Amino acid sequence: LPGSYLNGVYESHPLPYAEAGYGYPEAGQTVINVTNAKLIRLLVDDHPFDVRYGEVRSHERLLDFRTGLLQRHVEWLSRGRRGVRVRSTRLVSLVQRSVAAISYEVEPLDAAVRVVVQSELVANEALPPAGGDPRKSARLEAPLHSVSHACRDARVALLHSTAASGLRIGAAMDHHIVGPPSVQVSAESSPDLGRVTIPAALEPGERLQLVKFVAYGWSAIRSDPAVRDQVDAALTAATQTGWSGLVEEQGAYLGDFWDRADVEVDGDPEIQQAVRFSLFHVLQAGARAEGRAIPAKGLTGPGYDGHAFWDTETYVLPVLTYTDPEAVANALRWRHTTLPTATERARQLGLEGAVFPWRTISGAECSGYWPAGTAAFHVGADIADAVVRYVEASGDEAFEREVGLDLLAETARLWRSLGHHDAQGRFRIDGVTGPDEYSAVADNNVYTNLMAQHNLRAAADAAERHPDLAGRLRITAEEVGAWREAATAMFIPYDETLKVHPQAEGFTRHEVWDFAHTSAEQYPLLLHFPYFDLYRKQVVKQADLVLAMHLRGDAFTAEEKARNFNYYEGLTVRDSSLSACIQAVIAAEVGHLELAYDYLAEAALMDLDDLEHNTRDGLHVAALAGTWIALVAGLAGMRERPGGLSFAPRLPPGITRLAVGVSVQHRRLRVEIRPDATTYQLLRGEPLQLLHDGEPVTVATGNPVLRPTHKVPPSEPPAQPMGRAPLRHRTAG
């Protein structure tokens, strides 16, 4: 889909209900397509340059992950048989966060041509219809209302506002133009259109070159003049930097990122390209999201209405924790800014602490379907888990004091309020929805209970580390004691007959879904069967209990992990892009390396191969992050432990070398895994202690440590539901 998106820019709209209920969210939020500044139109002797007409002699488009540039080279003949060569290069700056730029060149192929270039800003651009899939976005017609427009020389600015969300959005463009003496420049503006027109007569060997500088500004609190001034200042800074300066800044920024975060995969060039594609887009989604959420689609499309989910904390932030930790701190600071909204939501629901939203842009709950939305209280524990991981990996005590303890305490207060001690003294959390959206409003979801337990303990530990701050937050010794008591007594259901953990209490007593009579065309099930039927059957949309075994692996024995994994493989249909990477992690841990490889490939190629046929609505940022998770947590076996990291490296047939970079505790670590040996090399920082297959290892700069890579004997993998096994991955050579 064509689109231009700014993080946090949305329009509000009523959430309609056939039958209203207490506590239902009243308003939704939908990301909007803002002023499009990408447009550069070309006319060749009055024929519009359009690859659907005339003759395309050559066409190449290249996204360079190292430089952060999107390049396009085309040779084209119009219907009038006039030929041109067009080169364009586009960047969205990761350094100057409000700026984008396009370098555009046109030259004749073999005869003189008359060309006209039109560079535009277009607001309220018409988009194709969204369709009936509920995962697509709501469609808002013409959400931008003109405030002002102006033009001067080759510079144009438009200022708009939204009616309901009260946002102001400014966009401006300026141009640097080089060409023959025949070049002329004119500019015009209207409420929804800004245009700079550049006609020129080009002889063979002559070029028309232009650089289009673009700046955006947006705010819910600043005035119209303030937003206009911000945009003008950003545009002036960009033009002063110049095209070559922007390119140099972008290359330096990404060079530093790849030096610390690159993942190298030998033996499978398809997976190698995919993991770099994934890391590039995860970085784009989160690196400059200061003060705003990281949406499930990043800024690549309007799917899910541009909402952020728990995906951010559970999938995206673990990757950024070890590759770009500053982005994690910023993402969690955004959650902290929404804490007043979350505590108000808790009061509305009769609870203490904070209830964070299932889906949101600004911090307010936007899910109109409460079993999958409000009931998914695990979001709070997911945020707490991200806080703990970031603090342990970064050693950022200031963050823990300024942001972390507040988040940990308010989420712990929620669990103490939501759960209760039963007659046997067990702490129960009833009537909640875990990660599996095909099982809603269940008692004692194992994932939720284990993550809540972790949350409660972490809050108590942090409060005791910072007693002065705890006092200011009104955390008493009695409250800390109650958190620890609830954590100790947390009820974790177990099926003694099947010798597995039920996903939630009673789950293994449900009827198993009739997979044999479910056709391939009926997946995803949510589009073909009522939730009522899904909720009362043993069928799993995505990793739930299996995700618990990854994030709370300390709560399970090795034998329990193997039995649980085998059991849930037969029930999990992967109707969610979040599932394959986690199944890859646990498959590798329990010894099914080829199956782990297949799941790794599914996560890695989710968007590159459009496996779910919906990339038109945007990329799956959590699945992209899952590529890194499947490689680093899966094949490298990396786990967090108190005070450091542990690794249990395993390589499947087909991958001959895996090397990953990890930033942890102000150190930079490189782990290189080969079939026979694993090398740990500390590139920066004080000596680091870690575990290799349970053995303590100390790594110091200049002294790489080699340890044998454990060889996993082949084993019979478990079966998946009929027709839902992952595609067997075959390497490219």
Side-chain angles (χ1 to χ4, degrees), residues 241-410:
T241 304
W243 172 256
S244 60
L246 290 172
V247 170
E248 185 178 348
E249 288 178 348
Q250 190 89 329
Y253 183 98
L254 285 165
D256 181 62
F257 172 74
W258 290 116
D259 283 349
R260 66 177 182 268
D262 192 20
V263 175
E264 299 174 16
V265 182
D266 287 356
D268 192 332
E270 190 174 31
I271 297 298
Q272 173 66 90
Q273 183 187 64
V275 68
R276 287 177 172 150
F277 175 82
S278 300
L279 281 167
F280 180 80
H281 278 288
V282 168
L283 181 72
Q284 281 203 135
R288 298 310 306 270
E290 299 102 326
R292 296 175 176 88
I294 301 176
K297 297 291 186 182
L299 296 176
T300 66
Y304 295 117
D305 288 311
H307 292 164
F309 295 76
W310 66 289
D311 310 8
T312 298
E313 282 77 17
T314 302
Y315 291 81
V316 179
L317 295 195
V319 179
L320 292 173
T321 295
Y322 298 106
T323 59
D324 192 13
E326 185 178 350
V328 179
N330 286 329
L332 292 171
R333 285 192 178 96
W334 168 75
R335 283 290 192 185
H336 190 253
T337 66
T338 70
L339 194 53
T341 304
T343 54
E344 181 182 347
R345 178 66 170 155
R347 301 299 90 74
Q348 183 184 29
L349 299 175
L351 298 168
E352 297 176 5
V355 173
F356 285 95
W358 169 245
R359 55 190 301 171
T360 190
I361 296 177
S362 71
E365 179 62 78
C366 292
S367 174
Y369 185 63
W370 68 268
T374 298
F377 290 100
H378 68 83
V379 177
D382 301 327
I383 294 168
D385 181 54
V387 169
V388 173
R389 180 181 296 106
Y390 169 73
V391 171
E392 289 187 351
S394 68
D396 191 346
E397 182 179 335
F399 173 88
E400 184 173 59
R401 291 183 59 85
E402 295 166 8
V403 174
L405 179 55
D406 208 358
L407 287 172
L408 291 172
E410 293 300 338

Side-chain angles (χ1 to χ4, degrees), residues 1-6 9-11 30-39 122-128 137-145 160 162 169 216 299 301-302 305:
L1 291 172
S4 301
Y5 308 99
L6 300 174
V9 173
Y10 66 95
E11 182 59 308
T30 296
V31 66
I32 58 175
N33 180 30
V34 300
T35 309
N36 185 358
K38 300 188 296 292
L39 295 173
V122 178
N124 293 315
E125 186 178 28
L127 295 177
S137 67
R139 186 163 180 199
L140 299 175
E141 299 289 347
L144 298 175
H145 301 273
H160 288 82
T162 58
I169 304 103
Y216 287 98
L299 296 176
D305 288 311

